């Protein structure tokens, strides 16, 4: 707590909201007094730097737009930048935001370990930093984290794979089915802290079925390092699936389930399966999972191709992040709901975590259309 309070005070200095008395009072690193009661800057005078990873995935476009709009509605100035999954570009963008006088930074990192220098500069300039959706690692200079319960997202991915394959019922209870089946596993980008949480969560429900000899990862590729897809790149996933089909399934065996942690990968995986003859009445697609409820996957689910996705409402993530920015700017203590899980290697980062929802054909309309996330025309329902 002392660390985050110290960071908060640092933030207040950056924003000009900490009373001078507090600066003089308890000396460097002083941990008490004055937060939130000092002179305030107006939102109009505060530039919020938003660093997003890429526009190649819809979710980050939504995230960026939602954040920008909600911040601007409150009067803040916003600098929204996308780095197209290129680490040096994101580093430059952060340098620019800092030199242009950003008061607060909200960062969805590409490589969660690559921003140490920039965040040190941010700290030196008393700029508070919120890690957005992806934890920034190996630095003390990240003040807060907003995301979803990433381990649970993984559990939901594994659970939906097993529901789709008939081993669990809709409530997640074992059905008693013991028919053997082949599966393959995919992981996210190894430099994204979330990816290991997703994989561990998924394997926590899948592994018991492997241990019982019901499910077999026929390629033998079960280590995260083996199955991880750098930068979450759909083309890499597609070619890995093509290679798996050639190396492991050319003798007539079929794959009945594929754990995929992200819709972009799922679409690539389905493309490889289609080219290999899957997706017909005689040879149906395996159960393929996903994440982010992207439009192409929503359509694929409705078409009976991809089985499931995990819906993480980016509107809500933007809301809690904007509330955090606003609280920091006003000198208040932002609301968090987790102070245990997200150790970034230097400290446990106080977090606000949201809940996610498994989507299949059965609840897609209710969750994605009736809530206004997509229009009926967009998904074709
Ligand atoms: C996000 C996921 C997303 C993935 C690829 C992760 O950090 O949490 O929602 O699917 O990045 O963009």
């Amino acid at each position: 707590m002392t660390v985050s309070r110290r960071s908060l005070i640092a933030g207040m200095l950056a924003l000009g909201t900490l009373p001078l008395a507090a600066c003089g009072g308890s000396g460097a690193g002083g941990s008490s007094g004055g937060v939130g009661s000092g002179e305030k800057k107006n939102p109009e005078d505060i530039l919020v730097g938003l660093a997003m990873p890429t526009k190649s995935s819809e979710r980050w476009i939504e995230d960026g737009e939602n954040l920008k709009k909600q911040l601007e509605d409150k009067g803040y100035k916003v600098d929204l930048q996308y780095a197209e999954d290129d680490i040096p570009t994101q580093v430059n963008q952060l340098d620019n935001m800092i030199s242009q006088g950003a008061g607060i930074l909200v960062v969805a990192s590409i490589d969660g370990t690559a921003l140490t220098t920039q965040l040190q500069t941010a700290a030196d300039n008393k700029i508070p930093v919120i890690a957005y959706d992806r934890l920034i690692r190996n630095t003390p200079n990240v003040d807060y984290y907003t995301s979803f319960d990433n381990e649970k997202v993984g559990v939901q991915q594994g659970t939906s794979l097993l529901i789709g394959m008939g081993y669990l019922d809709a409530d997640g209870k074992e059905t008693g089915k013991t028919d053997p089946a082949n599966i393959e596993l995919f992981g996210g980008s190894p430099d994204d802290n979330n990816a290991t949480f997703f994989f561990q969560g998924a394997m926590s429900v899948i592994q018991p079925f492997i241990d019982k000899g019901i499910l077999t990862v026929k390629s033998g590729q079960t280590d995260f390092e083996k199955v991880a897809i750098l930068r979450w790149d759909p083309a890499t996933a597609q070619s890995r699936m093509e290679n798996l089909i050639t190396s492991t399934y050319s003798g007539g065996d079929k794959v009945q389930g594929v754990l995929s942690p992200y819709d972009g990968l799922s679409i690539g995986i389905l493309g490889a399966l289609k080219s290999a003859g899957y997706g017909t009445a005689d040879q149906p697609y395996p159960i393929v999972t996903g994440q982010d409820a992207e439009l192409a996957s929503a359509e694929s689910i409705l078409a009976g191709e991809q089985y499931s996705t995990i819906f993480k409402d980016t509107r809500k993530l933007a809301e809690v992040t904007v509330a955090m920015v606003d609280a920091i700017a006003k000198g208040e203590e932002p609301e968090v709901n987790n102070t245990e899980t997200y150790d970034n290697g230097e400290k446990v980062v106080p977090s606000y975590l949201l809940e996610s929802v498994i989507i299949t054909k059965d609840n897609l309309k209710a969750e994605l259309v009736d809530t206004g996330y997509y229009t009926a025309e967009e998904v074709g329902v």
Side-chain angles (χ1 to χ4, degrees):
M1 204 60 231
T2 46
V3 176
S4 82
R5 186 171 290 276
R6 203 160 41 234
S7 326
L8 193 61
I9 289 174
M12 295 311 107
L13 282 165
L15 300 166
T17 52
L18 188 68
L20 289 177
C23 303
S26 48
S31 62
S32 65
V35 173
S37 61
E39 176 213 345
K40 294 187 183 70
K41 267 194 178 181
N42 294 321
E44 291 74 18
D45 300 322
I46 298 172
L47 175 66
V48 183
L50 302 178
M52 293 288 124
T54 177
K55 276 191 173 170
S56 69
S57 151
E58 276 162 28
R59 79 147 283 184
W60 299 113
I61 299 175
E62 297 283 333
D63 287 271
E65 282 173 0
N66 289 333
L67 282 166
K68 185 169 189 294
K69 177 169 188 319
Q70 291 180 28
L71 284 165
E72 286 176 348
D73 285 350
K74 286 191 182 295
Y76 292 92
K77 290 186 286 180
V78 173
D79 182 8
L80 169 61
Q81 299 291 336
Y82 287 87
E84 290 325 307
D85 274 336
D86 183 53
I87 298 164
T89 302
Q90 186 161 65
V91 162
N92 284 338
Q93 289 173 342
L94 285 170
D95 281 336
N96 286 338
M97 287 171 186
I98 293 167
S99 63
Q100 277 162 27
I104 301 185
L105 295 174
V106 176
V107 183
S109 55
I110 297 165
D111 178 334
T113 63
L115 303 175
T116 317
T117 310
Q118 284 60 45
L119 297 196
Q120 186 57 53
T121 313
D124 294 345
N125 286 280
K126 318 293 186 217
I127 302 167
V129 174
I130 300 173
Y132 184 83
D133 196 59
R134 296 175 172 176
L135 188 63
I136 303 172
R137 296 190 54 81
N138 302 348
T139 170
N141 303 316
V142 49
D143 298 288
Y144 296 99
Y145 178 45
T146 54
S147 189
F148 292 80
D149 182 339
N150 293 303
E151 168 97 17
K152 193 161 165 202
V153 169
V155 169
Q156 289 176 321
Q157 289 172 334
T159 301
S160 72
L161 181 74
L162 297 171
I163 293 174
M165 295 181 77
Y167 296 106
L168 298 180
D169 66 19
D171 299 324
K173 302 233 164 49
E174 290 196 30
T175 57
K177 177 176 173 180
T178 55
D179 302 358
N182 297 321
I183 59 169
E184 294 298 337
L185 310 171
F186 283 72
S189 193
D191 51 10
D192 179 345
N193 192 62
N194 290 348
T196 42
F197 276 86
F198 299 149
F199 192 67
Q200 281 162 13
M203 291 314 284
S204 71
V205 289
I206 295 171
Q207 191 65 46
F209 287 82
I210 297 176
D211 294 342
K212 282 187 263 189
I214 297 173
L215 295 181
T216 302
V217 181
K218 203 159 166 35
S219 66
Q221 297 182 15
T222 53
D223 290 343
F224 177 72
E225 293 69 32
K226 269 268 178 212
V227 307
I229 301 292
L230 186 64
R231 300 282 121 75
W232 303 90
D233 179 31
T236 309
Q238 178 153 357
S239 63
R240 177 166 181 259
M241 191 71 232
E242 284 163 4
N243 291 341
L244 289 172
I245 291 167
T246 312
S247 62
T248 309
Y249 296 96
S250 52
D253 288 317
K254 300 293 171 221
V255 57
Q256 282 97 18
V258 180
L259 174 73
S260 166
Y262 156 54
D263 285 347
L265 306 191
S266 316
I267 296 296
I269 290 163
L270 284 160
L273 289 161
K274 186 168 192 183
S275 305
Y278 286 83
T280 64
D282 289 345
Q283 193 177 314
Y285 283 116
I287 299 300
V288 179
T289 63
Q291 173 172 206
D292 291 341
E294 296 207 323
L295 200 49
S297 286
E299 287 165 357
S300 177
I301 289 170
L302 291 174
E305 296 168 353
Q306 187 173 325
Y307 175 72
S308 61
T309 187
I310 307 299
F311 175 42
K312 307 197 307 192
D313 195 332
T314 50
R315 296 168 299 189
K316 290 189 184 150
L317 188 58
E319 264 167 42
V320 298
T321 308
V322 168
M324 223 177 231
V325 167
D326 212 32
I328 295 171
K330 288 181 175 143
E332 294 162 6
E333 188 96 43
E335 190 183 346
V336 295
N337 62 8
N338 182 301
T339 52
E340 284 168 10
T341 310
Y342 287 97
D343 187 334
N344 79 344
E346 288 283 341
K347 69 184 210 186
V348 176
V349 183
S351 310
Y352 197 104
L353 305 179
L354 292 163
E355 295 292 318
S356 48
V357 182
I358 298 176
I359 302 289
T360 65
K361 212 174 191 169
D362 296 339
N363 64 349
L364 192 147
K365 182 174 174 299
E367 293 287 347
L368 300 184
V369 178
D370 298 350
T371 65
Y373 198 72
Y374 291 128
T375 64
E377 295 72 44
E378 278 172 322
V379 288
V381 289

